[in-house]
Amino acid sequence: MVPPLAPTRATARFARLLHESSTETGRLRRGVELAVRMVPGCDHASVTVLTPHYVETVAASDEVVRRGDAWQYDLSEGPCLDSVRTRATVVSQDLRVDPRWRSWGPRAADGLGVRAMMSVLFDSTRDAVGSLNLYADRVEAWDDERQELARALGDQLAVAVADARVLDARTRAVHAQAGLGRAQGIVMERFAMSADQALDHLRRLSEATGMTLVRLAEHVGETRELPVLPGGGRASSDDAESWSRSGG
């Protein structure tokens, strides 16, 4: 049997493998797969996210953990809910007899065969809280070393998710800027405008139609047509000229 990696080496490997995916969803899915492989005693894993509007499992290693999480949400009790609600790590060494979850614990033990669970808070922002949930099929699965490793992996998952969000925001900003440039060029050609006049025209169209500037630019770039105005017509060269004279 190959001995498990030391916590420091395991954490470094976990971080490296997470970054093989560039998206938040991809890294979450990769995170739960790796947790099952790298944390001794962990047989199933998931990620729970709680927002002011919903709670859901956004990544899961298998159907067992999906059902276990879903039962927690239905019964409004369980380790992953306690973790995101209290913003703390929650550990149970025997779910069947744990007094904190008198309905969910026995149901999970008897219905799914899971006997121990650890939920590690890994991501906390103003609008959302996430926990990495580790399920074990035997009691007393979480000694101090395994708990330490799970927390370290949770910290790395938080960093990877935050990094993916920044990358996604930058990518969307670049795409939005490129789309706006295309739309600007179309308006310049259509109405013989300067770049500044074309941008101002698009801003006024955005206000007139209620479309965001980014969505308007996407529409113009995809169709090469200006949007329908509230009165039923389309923006014309006359509109462009009048708008330009009034403040463009």
Side-chain angles (χ1 to χ4, degrees):
M1 180 178 178
V2 178
L5 293 174
T8 301
R9 289 181 58 202
T11 302
R13 183 183 178 198
F14 183 80
R16 176 173 57 80
L17 293 174
L18 279 181
H19 281 78
E20 290 179 352
S21 174
S22 61
T23 67
E24 178 179 350
T25 299
R27 290 180 180 183
L28 289 172
R29 290 174 178 169
R30 187 68 166 144
V32 299
E33 294 170 0
L34 292 170
V36 174
R37 288 168 46 188
M38 299 177 69
V39 180
C42 178
D43 298 294
H44 323 274
S46 71
V47 168
T48 291
V49 170
L50 173 70
T51 77
H53 308 292
Y54 64 85
V55 58
E56 69 171 333
T57 298
V58 295
S61 63
D62 53 48
E63 188 59 28
V64 168
V65 77
R66 288 189 184 279
R67 292 174 63 190
D69 286 0
W71 290 350
Q72 292 189 59
Y73 309 152
D74 290 343
L75 296 169
S76 192
E77 67 172 45
C80 68
L81 288 181
D82 282 1
S83 178
V84 293
R85 285 168 175 167
T86 64
R87 289 168 166 74
T89 294
V90 175
V91 178
S92 176
Q93 301 287 10
D94 190 344
L95 295 174
R96 180 177 282 125
V97 299
D98 197 312
R100 290 174 290 183
W101 315 296
R102 297 185 182 277
S103 297
W104 179 82
R107 183 176 181 181
D110 297 335
L112 299 175
V114 294
R115 297 301 307 275
M117 186 170 171
M118 174 167 39
S119 290
V120 178
L121 187 75
F122 83 89
D123 189 29
S124 181
T125 66
R126 183 182 63 181
D127 299 320
V129 184
S131 68
L132 174 62
N133 309 310
L134 310 183
Y135 288 69
D137 292 340
R138 66 178 182 84
V139 299
E140 302 296 333
W142 315 123
D143 60 22
D144 290 344
E145 184 175 341
R146 293 174 182 182
Q147 291 185 43
E148 178 185 355
L149 175 58
R151 291 188 181 95
L153 299 191
D155 289 342
Q156 287 299 323
L157 186 58
V159 171
V161 167
D163 178 66
R165 289 171 182 165
V166 171
L167 180 62
D168 180 62
R170 289 175 178 171
T171 301
R172 285 188 282 109
V174 169
H175 288 168
Q177 188 64 38
L180 182 57
R182 285 193 296 272
Q184 198 174 359
I186 291 169
V187 172
M188 289 170 66
E189 180 182 9
R190 182 76 53 86
F191 299 132
M193 288 181 167
S194 69
D196 287 344
Q197 288 173 326
L199 180 58
D200 187 62
H201 186 60
L202 287 168
R203 286 173 175 154
R204 290 170 180 268
L205 272 176
S206 173
E207 295 174 0
T209 60
M211 300 172 71
T212 66
L213 188 58
V214 171
R215 181 68 192 96
L216 172 63
E218 289 175 352
H219 172 82
V220 174
E222 291 169 359
T223 67
R224 299 190 65 83
E225 295 289 342
L226 298 179
V228 176
L229 295 172
R234 293 185 183 276
S236 65
S237 58
D238 291 339
D239 295 319
E241 291 173 5
S242 64
W243 286 345
S244 179
R245 287 195 300 270
S246 67

